[in-house]
Amino acid sequence: AQSVTQLGSHVSVSEGALVLLRCNYSSSVPPYLFWYVQYPNQGLQLLLKYTTGATLVKGINGFEAEFKKSETSFHLTKPSAHMSDAAEYFCAVTLSGGSNYKLTFGKGTLLTVNP
Amino acid sequence: DVKVTQSSRYLVKRTGEKVFLECVQDMDHENMFWYRQDPGLGLRLIYFSYDVKMKEKGDIPEGYSVSREKKERFSLILESASTNQTSMYLCASSLAGAFNQPQHFGDGTRLSIL
């Protein structure tokens, strides 16, 4: 079965500092991986996705993530945090093959950006 | 852009009532999903549908049912609402045919059962 673990339910950074949100997955077959962002009182919005090919994936709003198969990780980074990045971030995985399209989500990481 | 519209942003109902949550998407997506979101638990899949009149149970289907009579509309039904169903409910849709297709979400319905 697939699973996702997000390390740290709450991360706090200063404006301009590096953002690092951690995600590890468990999967016995090649995974497809996603990061979503949720702003207050809104639904989830896709930040970026990894399918196959290049392991460094660039997304919207200056975010990027690197797929590391050896570490089963897909950490999300941004070089310089902005106040508008304050939100909850979810990592999700789905498996290639199989007969369903289920996404399995991590429990989320709340990012706070301090002035 | 894909638009997924949930009929209500906030809803207050009483214990024992039958509750309907409606979701409409405008991009001809085959797949549609209902999740509930609770603090510290992330998103949990209730039901999903991969075609009209087709449905499959997700991880927490107990106490819920769904209806998909038209491709663009997916309804979640709480047969007899209980206080432990107070939650944020999110609808999503995606294209079929490839597992790398992202899901597109509505803005959610915050449901309170009194």
Side-chain angles (χ1 to χ4, degrees):
Chain A
Q2 63 201 44
S3 67
V4 175
T5 302
Q6 290 185 241
L7 297 174
S9 59
H10 189 190
V11 170
S12 182
V13 301
S14 298
E15 192 173 18
L18 171 72
V19 176
L20 170 60
L21 305 181
R22 300 178 187 272
C23 173
N24 288 87
Y25 68 91
S26 171
S27 170
S28 57
V29 298
Y32 295 125
L33 294 155
F34 304 81
W35 274 101
Y36 285 85
V37 60
Q38 185 179 33
Y39 299 104
N41 296 317
Q42 294 186 24
L44 276 68
Q45 177 183 354
L46 181 69
L47 267 181
L48 49 81
K49 66 179 183 181
Y50 168 77
T51 54
T52 57
T55 55
L56 185 62
V57 181
K58 294 189 183 299
I60 62 171
N61 301 338
F63 284 92
E64 60 184 33
E66 186 172 10
F67 173 64
K68 291 187 177 180
K69 184 178 179 180
S70 61
E71 298 177 8
T72 61
S73 69
F74 190 55
H75 301 331
L76 182 71
T77 60
K78 182 174 181 177
S80 176
H82 191 273
M83 297 295 290
S84 61
D85 294 327
E88 191 158 22
Y89 292 80
F90 293 92
C91 182
V93 63
T94 191
L95 300 181
S96 57
S99 60
N100 68 61
Y101 302 91
K102 284 177 58 176
L103 272 179
T104 297
F105 286 87
K107 294 184 178 180
T109 298
L110 182 65
L111 177 66
T112 301
V113 181
N114 303 308
Chain B
D1 276 356
V2 177
K3 182 87 173 154
V4 178
T5 303
Q6 295 183 230
S7 55
S8 305
R9 292 298 304 273
Y10 301 94
L11 207 53
V12 180
K13 295 291 183 181
R14 297 207 174 273
T15 304
E17 279 192 71
K18 190 169 186 176
V19 180
F20 294 85
L21 303 184
E22 307 287 347
C23 175
V24 177
Q25 50 94 4
D26 66 356
M27 283 303 290
D28 205 35
H29 285 173
E30 291 82 4
N31 300 327
M32 295 189 75
F33 307 82
W34 274 107
Y35 295 90
R36 66 176 282 175
Q37 181 180 15
D38 300 288
L41 297 179
L43 275 75
R44 294 179 291 168
L45 182 65
I46 305 172
Y47 268 96
F48 70 99
S49 168
Y50 50 90
D51 202 350
V52 175
K53 297 189 185 296
M54 305 303 289
K55 62 186 179 185
E56 283 197 24
K57 294 180 180 179
D59 300 317
I60 52 165
E62 295 78 19
Y64 303 94
S65 62
V66 291
S67 172
R68 194 164 180 203
E69 296 297 319
K70 294 185 177 182
K71 190 175 185 179
E72 68 271 18
R73 186 179 298 270
F74 192 36
S75 303
L76 179 69
I77 304 158
L78 285 65
E79 297 290 344
S80 178
S82 64
T83 55
N84 63 11
Q85 293 178 308
T86 291
S87 186
M88 170 72 95
Y89 290 86
L90 291 167
C91 176
S93 70
S94 70
L95 279 172
F99 290 92
N100 62 351
Q101 293 296 329
Q103 293 183 16
H104 301 265
F105 286 81
D107 283 338
T109 296
R110 190 166 293 280
L111 176 64
S112 296
I113 307 297
L114 304 180

